[in-house]
Amino acid sequence: MTFKYNDISPDAIKGMAMTYVNTEDVTIGVGRCMDSTNSRVIRNKATITVVIDGGTGLNKLDAGVEATSTWYAVHVIAGPGQTTAGLLSTSATSPTLPANYTLFRRVGWVYNDASDDLLPFVQVGNTNLRKIYWAGSGNDTLVLNNATNTGSYATVSVAIGVAPTAFEYLIRITAQAGGDNATAIKITDIVDTGVWTQVRQNRSEYQMTTLPCPTTREFQYNSAHSSSECQAIIKGYSEVI
C-alpha cells in the first residue's frame, strides 16, 4: 500500500530490515520508507519472503535467471491497489517492475556465490544507514591467503564481500608468517595514499580494521620480506540505502 508524502522525510526508511533465511531465501521486515524518487511512501505491514531460485515475478527475480557470483539488489515494491512485495534485481536503480507496480526502494543487497547459494548475513540498523556482517565461514569472503608480495604494492579486489554501494568495510587481516616483518595495507583512489595499517606475526594474531571503500572496491598490500604471509577476510560493510 502507498500513501502520499506527508509523514516521512526525504530518503527516510524505518524498519524494512532484511533477514537471511537460507541459501535461497531472504525476508524483508515490517516498516515504511520513501520510494526511490522521494515522492511516495511505501508501507509494509507483514514480513515478505523473497526467493532467488523461483523464477521471475513478485518476491522473485525481476528478470532473467539466477546467476552465480553476482550481487542482487533487494527492493521493496508497491503500486496503486497492490500488496507490497519484494524483488531481486542486478540493478540497484532501475529494476524491471511487475505489472501494476510503479514504486520501489532498495533495502539492501544479497550475494549469490559460485555455488548458487546466498551468503549468510546479519543486517543491522533501522534507518537508511545499514551494516552487514557476514555470518558464514571465513572462506566465503577470503580475499588473501598465504599471500606474499614484495616490491611495488599489489592490488586486491574486495568485490566478493563488499556491495557496490558500500562506503566502508570491515576486514580481518592476519600475518600468517614472517616473524617481525610487516605486511602493509593501503587504500587505492583515496586522498590519503599512505599506509593505512599493517600486521606482524610476532606482534598480533590478527587485526580487525575498518577501511574506507573506494569506487574500485580494492586495497593494496606490500610485504616487507618474502617470508611475510598475509590473510585477509571481509567481515562486513556499511552502506546508505
Side-chain angles (χ1 to χ4, degrees), residues 5 31 36 38 49 53 61 72-73 80 83 92 94 116 126 129 140 143 153 187 193 197-198 210 217 222:
Y5 172 93
S36 60
N38 274 321
T49 299
D53 65 344
L61 295 175
Y72 282 94
T83 300
S94 56
D116 256 359
N126 195 44
L129 175 61
D140 296 336
V143 294
Y153 277 81
I187 314 301
T193 57
T197 189
Q198 57 186 2
T210 299
R217 288 185 289 167
N222 179 265

Coordinates of all heavy atoms in Angstrom, one line a residue, residues 5 31 36 38 49 53 61 72-73 80 83 92 94 116 126 129 140 143 153 187 193 197-198 210 217 222:
Y5 N 3.3 11.6 0.1 CA 4.3 12.1 1.0 C 3.7 13.0 2.0 O 3.1 14.1 1.7 CB 5.4 12.9 0.2 CG 6.4 13.6 1.0 CD1 7.6 13.0 1.3 CD2 6.1 14.9 1.4 CE1 8.5 13.7 2.1 CE2 7.1 15.6 2.2 CZ 8.3 15.0 2.5 OH 9.2 15.7 3.2
G31 N 7.8 -2.3 8.0 CA 8.3 -0.9 8.1 C 7.7 0.0 7.1 O 6.7 -0.3 6.4
S36 N 12.1 5.4 -4.3 CA 13.3 5.8 -4.9 C 13.3 7.2 -5.4 O 14.4 7.9 -5.5 CB 13.7 4.9 -6.0 OG 12.7 4.9 -7.0
N38 N 11.6 9.7 -3.8 CA 11.2 10.6 -2.7 C 9.8 11.3 -2.9 O 9.6 12.4 -2.5 CB 12.2 11.6 -2.4 CG 13.3 11.1 -1.5 OD1 13.0 10.4 -0.5 ND2 14.6 11.4 -1.8
T49 N 8.8 -12.7 2.1 CA 9.9 -13.7 1.8 C 10.2 -13.5 0.3 O 9.3 -13.6 -0.5 CB 9.5 -15.1 2.1 OG1 9.2 -15.2 3.5 CG2 10.6 -16.1 1.7
D53 N 15.5 -18.5 -6.4 CA 15.5 -19.6 -7.3 C 14.1 -20.0 -7.8 O 13.9 -21.1 -8.3 CB 16.2 -20.8 -6.8 CG 15.5 -21.4 -5.6 OD1 14.6 -20.7 -5.0 OD2 15.8 -22.6 -5.2
L61 N 13.0 -13.0 -8.8 CA 13.9 -12.1 -9.7 C 13.0 -11.2 -10.5 O 11.9 -11.6 -10.9 CB 14.7 -13.0 -10.6 CG 15.7 -13.9 -9.9 CD1 16.4 -14.8 -11.0 CD2 16.8 -13.1 -9.2
Y72 N 22.9 -9.1 -5.9 CA 21.5 -8.8 -6.2 C 20.9 -7.7 -5.3 O 21.0 -7.9 -4.0 CB 20.6 -10.0 -6.1 CG 20.7 -10.9 -7.3 CD1 21.5 -12.0 -7.3 CD2 19.9 -10.7 -8.5 CE1 21.6 -12.9 -8.4 CE2 20.0 -11.5 -9.6 CZ 20.9 -12.6 -9.5 OH 21.0 -13.5 -10.6
A73 N 20.4 -6.6 -5.8 CA 19.8 -5.6 -5.0 C 18.4 -6.2 -4.6 O 17.7 -6.8 -5.3 CB 19.6 -4.3 -5.8
P80 N -0.5 1.2 -7.0 CA -1.9 1.5 -6.6 C -2.7 0.2 -6.5 O -2.8 -0.5 -7.4 CB -2.3 2.4 -7.7 CG -1.1 3.0 -8.3 CD 0.0 1.9 -8.2
T83 N -0.5 -5.2 -3.2 CA 0.1 -5.6 -2.0 C 1.6 -5.3 -2.1 O 2.3 -5.7 -3.1 CB -0.1 -7.1 -1.7 OG1 -1.5 -7.3 -1.6 CG2 0.6 -7.5 -0.4
A92 N 20.5 -1.7 -9.1 CA 20.2 -1.0 -7.8 C 19.2 0.1 -8.1 O 18.5 0.6 -7.1 CB 21.4 -0.5 -7.1
S94 N 17.2 0.6 -11.3 CA 16.1 0.5 -12.3 C 15.7 -0.9 -12.5 O 15.9 -1.5 -13.6 CB 16.6 1.1 -13.7 OG 17.8 0.5 -14.1
D116 N 25.8 -21.0 -6.3 CA 24.4 -20.7 -6.3 C 23.7 -20.6 -5.0 O 22.5 -20.8 -4.8 CB 23.6 -21.7 -7.2 CG 23.2 -21.1 -8.6 OD1 23.6 -19.9 -8.9 OD2 22.6 -21.8 -9.4
N126 N 18.2 0.6 11.6 CA 16.8 0.8 11.5 C 16.5 2.1 10.7 O 15.3 2.5 10.5 CB 16.1 0.9 12.8 CG 14.6 0.8 12.7 OD1 14.1 -0.1 12.0 ND2 13.9 1.6 13.5
L129 N 21.0 4.1 7.2 CA 22.4 3.6 7.4 C 22.3 2.2 7.9 O 21.8 1.9 9.0 CB 23.1 4.5 8.5 CG 24.5 4.0 8.8 CD1 25.5 4.0 7.6 CD2 25.1 4.9 9.9
D140 N 34.1 -17.9 2.7 CA 33.2 -17.2 1.8 C 33.7 -15.9 1.3 O 33.4 -15.5 0.1 CB 31.8 -17.0 2.5 CG 31.2 -18.3 2.9 OD1 31.5 -19.3 2.3 OD2 30.4 -18.3 3.9
V143 N 39.9 -13.0 0.7 CA 40.4 -12.3 -0.5 C 41.9 -12.4 -0.6 O 42.5 -12.1 -1.6 CB 40.0 -10.8 -0.5 CG1 38.5 -10.6 -0.7 CG2 40.5 -10.1 0.8
Y153 N 53.3 -2.2 -4.6 CA 52.1 -2.7 -4.0 C 51.3 -3.5 -5.0 O 51.2 -3.1 -6.1 CB 51.3 -1.5 -3.4 CG 51.7 -1.0 -2.1 CD1 52.8 -0.2 -1.9 CD2 51.0 -1.4 -0.9 CE1 53.2 0.2 -0.6 CE2 51.4 -1.0 0.3 CZ 52.5 -0.2 0.5 OH 52.9 0.2 1.7
I187 N 45.0 2.1 0.8 CA 43.8 2.2 0.0 C 44.1 2.8 -1.3 O 44.9 3.7 -1.5 CB 42.8 3.1 0.8 CG1 42.7 2.7 2.3 CG2 41.4 3.0 0.1 CD1 42.3 1.3 2.5
T193 N 47.1 8.4 0.6 CA 47.7 7.2 -0.1 C 48.8 6.5 0.7 O 49.4 5.7 0.2 CB 48.2 7.6 -1.5 OG1 49.2 8.7 -1.3 CG2 47.1 8.2 -2.4
T197 N 47.3 0.5 7.6 CA 47.5 -0.4 8.7 C 48.5 -1.4 8.3 O 48.8 -1.6 7.1 CB 46.2 -1.0 9.2 OG1 46.4 -1.7 10.5 CG2 45.7 -2.0 8.2
Q198 N 49.1 -2.2 9.3 CA 50.0 -3.2 9.0 C 50.0 -4.3 10.1 O 49.6 -4.0 11.2 CB 51.4 -2.7 8.7 CG 52.0 -2.0 9.9 CD 53.4 -1.4 9.5 OE1 53.8 -1.5 8.3 NE2 54.0 -0.7 10.4
T210 N 38.6 -1.2 10.0 CA 37.6 -0.6 9.1 C 38.3 0.2 8.0 O 39.0 1.1 8.4 CB 36.5 0.2 9.8 OG1 35.8 -0.7 10.8 CG2 35.5 0.8 8.9
R217 N 36.5 -0.7 -5.1 CA 36.4 -1.8 -4.1 C 37.7 -2.6 -4.1 O 37.7 -3.8 -4.4 CB 35.2 -2.7 -4.4 CG 33.9 -2.0 -4.1 CD 32.7 -2.9 -4.2 NE 32.4 -3.2 -5.6 CZ 31.6 -4.2 -6.1 NH1 31.1 -5.0 -5.2 NH2 31.4 -4.3 -7.4
N222 N 51.6 -4.8 0.6 CA 53.1 -4.9 0.4 C 53.7 -5.7 1.5 O 53.5 -5.3 2.7 CB 53.7 -3.5 0.2 CG 55.2 -3.6 -0.1 OD1 56.0 -3.5 0.8 ND2 55.5 -3.8 -1.4

